[in-house]
Amino acid sequence: MQQKLTSWIPVPEHSDFSIYNLPYGIFSKDSHTPRIGMAIGEHIVDLKRVAEAGLFHDLHADLSVFDRTSLNDYISLGKEVTTEIRKRVQQELCDEHSSLKEMSSAIVQQSECKLHLPVKVGDYTDFYSSIEHATNVGKMFRDPENALLPNWKHLPVGYHGRASSIVVSGTPVQRPNGQLKPDDDKPPVYGPSQRLDFELEVGFIVGKENQLGNSIHVQQAEDHIFGLLLFNDWSARDIQKWEYRPLGPFLGKNFASSVSPWIVPLEALDPFRVQGPEQNPEVLPYLRTQGKKNYDINLEVDLQPQGQPEPTTISRTNYRYMYWNMVQQLVHHTSGGCNVRIGDIMASGTISGTDPQSYGSLLELSWSGSTTLKLKGGQERTFLEDGDRVTIKGFARKDDIRVGFGEVTSKILPAKI
Ligand code: CA
């Protein structure tokens, strides 16, 4: 068991941001330029100030990176350096005699800060790695008898998404207009999506590049993963259903994706590693992983209509059920020689469990609109309405150690007329 750590910054008992976590984000206070911080409890450690205090001076690294408006340059210092920096901050926060204690400007209240998109995202890829989700969607969109297509258990299916419309938690999401076909026997119409949905996902941030033409090997893949965040892959099911054949998702997905502001470094999730589900048939040798590559992360989705004082938790699931793990996703992505870059986001695909309360989208929770969800206060939903707020939360817990992601929350705005 990990040694018990206690920080001199008070951390509320159920805080996601324990001393074991120390996730990275980009924050700004007052009119200052955004910069890199680390969350602890209800505070943020200003890493620029910590660097100025000389804590990292012997690391032979470019310490001007803390002043940047994204984490990309920091991540590019390499895992050896960033792991050491995180370890030193952790030690300082546990040391009652730390000089940081006297530096009031190094520790700021989260409530006084604005959080920004943590990375500059060059490319975004979305996988489809939950067997429960892929089976449910296959049943609804295609053939209940053959829900999984023949390739599904042989490769982690994915598509290249849109990076430009990735926004940070708190940014409202506008209902998209698009081409819809509400009546099978009539021509399509153009208008606001009537089947707006969320997708509960976890994304990972690429932390190390590979050269174009070279693939990433399973043994090295974890070195290329910097950390994880929560990801809401907004989906317009009616646009998606009409457009998706034969090339897959396009405008039904590209109007927005929302991310949580804090990136939990992979090493903080080590205590929560678990074995993934058995893969049968056995995957090809280049995709075979050894050991625990899944993570036990509790996930939930809350839905709160406008004017309702309380949200309703409409889904509870876990990241551990993913059929394809992150290593396999990254290895497959680069297996043809495609280069990935620092800051790229690779999202898991909707994470659904086996029982209906664990489905990670309204498409599944309402079974394509055939049943309604009852919310606190008496309202009902099949898909999202204007003014609805969707919040995804996630945390891992083992013994006394809790490492959480905070949340990604967004409110739906009406479509532009
Ligand atoms: Ca998705």
Side-chain angles (χ1 to χ4, degrees):
M1 199 177 129
Q2 196 168 344
Q3 186 196 351
K4 187 168 166 55
L5 303 174
T6 309
S7 145
W8 45 262
I9 296 180
V11 177
E13 197 185 337
H14 296 295
S15 173
D16 279 349
F17 308 125
S18 68
I19 185 71
Y20 304 98
N21 189 353
L22 302 179
Y24 296 100
I26 298 292
F27 75 100
S28 61
K29 193 181 168 191
D30 305 324
S31 55
H32 295 154
T33 313
R35 60 169 74 148
I36 299 178
M38 227 176 223
I40 174 143
E42 291 166 343
H43 292 83
I44 298 172
V45 181
D46 182 336
L47 290 186
K48 183 183 182 214
R49 293 276 175 256
V50 178
E52 284 168 356
L55 194 63
F56 317 128
H57 70 273
D58 58 326
L59 288 178
H60 306 294
D62 174 9
L63 298 180
S64 68
V65 294
F66 297 112
D67 217 359
R68 308 284 154 80
T69 56
S70 79
L71 283 161
N72 296 49
D73 289 343
Y74 175 73
I75 296 171
S76 73
L77 295 178
K79 231 179 213 194
E80 212 171 296
V81 174
T82 57
T83 304
E84 179 62 24
I85 286 174
R86 185 171 160 278
K87 203 170 92 190
R88 289 188 188 186
V89 173
Q90 193 175 49
Q91 281 165 354
E92 286 296 312
L93 294 175
C94 293
D95 178 3
E96 285 293 335
H97 307 289
S98 167
S99 58
L100 290 187
K101 244 178 152 175
E102 312 307 319
M103 288 175 58
S104 57
S105 67
I107 313 288
V108 292
Q109 286 268 1
Q110 279 180 36
S111 57
E112 294 175 352
C113 298
K114 182 173 159 47
L115 297 171
H116 304 264
L117 194 64
V119 279
K120 192 169 182 301
V121 188
D123 282 295
Y124 151 50
T125 299
D126 194 23
F127 285 92
Y128 193 52
S129 289
S130 152
I131 195 165
E132 290 80 9
H133 173 69
T135 304
N136 287 340
V137 174
K139 281 181 186 170
M140 280 183 268
F141 273 40
R142 283 187 309 272
D143 176 6
E145 300 305 314
N146 295 292
L148 288 184
L149 288 169
N151 59 5
W152 200 90
K153 286 188 169 180
H154 294 279
L155 56 89
V157 168
Y159 69 96
H160 289 116
R162 185 76 198 164
S164 65
S165 53
I166 293 178
V167 293
V168 74
S169 176
T171 311
V173 168
Q174 187 178 285
R175 179 182 299 274
N177 287 305
Q179 214 180 103
L180 321 168
K181 204 162 180 305
D183 192 329
D184 284 346
D185 302 322
K186 290 184 181 157
V189 296
Y190 178 83
S193 167
Q194 303 299 308
R195 292 189 150 216
L196 183 57
D197 200 355
F198 61 83
E199 287 192 333
L200 162 59
E201 304 196 17
V202 169
F204 72 83
I205 306 293
V206 171
K208 187 177 167 185
E209 308 188 344
N210 62 312
Q211 292 298 311
L212 181 65
N214 294 338
S215 53
I216 295 174
H217 191 270
V218 277
Q219 302 289 353
Q220 274 86 49
E222 283 180 2
D223 281 349
H224 292 258
I225 299 171
F226 179 72
L228 277 64
L229 41 59
L230 301 172
F231 196 94
N232 184 345
D233 184 32
W234 301 99
S235 301
R237 300 300 180 190
D238 37 9
I239 299 174
Q240 183 185 359
K241 190 169 185 182
W242 170 230
E243 77 177 359
Y244 88 101
R245 279 188 250 227
L247 288 187
F250 192 29
L251 310 193
K253 300 277 188 176
N254 74 0
F255 55 96
S257 307
S258 303
V259 297
S260 53
W262 297 106
I263 300 177
V264 176
L266 196 62
E267 58 265 32
L269 293 165
D270 255 341
F272 314 105
R273 282 176 182 266
V274 287
Q275 203 77 40
E278 189 197 349
Q279 294 182 315
N280 187 11
E282 191 176 23
V283 299
L284 287 169
Y286 79 100
L287 289 170
R288 276 180 211 156
T289 53
Q290 303 284 326
K292 297 173 176 174
K293 301 294 180 207
N294 281 39
Y295 292 84
D296 181 3
I297 301 170
N298 301 290
L299 299 162
E300 70 168 58
V301 183
D302 297 346
L303 177 54
Q304 186 176 19
Q306 188 153 23
Q308 271 300 316
E310 259 191 286
T312 305
T313 300
I314 56 171
S315 176
R316 281 196 175 89
T317 185
N318 195 300
Y319 185 53
R320 67 185 299 161
Y321 301 128
M322 301 302 292
Y323 189 88
W324 294 101
N325 62 54
M326 289 183 284
V327 165
Q328 293 175 319
Q329 290 168 343
L330 186 56
V331 165
H332 182 66
H333 199 299
T334 62
S335 62
C338 168
N339 55 324
V340 295
R341 292 175 297 190
I342 288 169
D344 287 357
I345 293 185
M346 310 234 165
S348 56
T350 307
I351 303 165
S352 292
T354 48
D355 70 271
Q357 285 77 43
S358 64
Y359 293 167
S361 66
L362 285 172
L363 178 71
E364 295 162 275
L365 289 164
S366 76
W367 207 255
S368 196
S370 64
T371 61
T372 52
L373 272 78
K374 301 201 176 4
L375 307 178
K376 285 179 190 167
Q379 292 201 40
E380 297 184 344
R381 286 290 180 278
T382 48
F383 291 95
L384 296 171
E385 295 188 7
D386 294 343
D388 282 356
R389 174 172 290 283
V390 177
T391 304
I392 297 175
K393 297 176 185 170
F395 70 92
R397 184 166 51 200
K398 193 177 186 184
D399 305 320
D400 288 339
I401 301 177
R402 181 177 165 121
V403 171
F405 289 78
E407 62 179 30
V408 51
T409 184
S410 330
K411 190 175 169 174
I412 303 300
L413 300 181
K416 280 240 167 84
I417 301 171

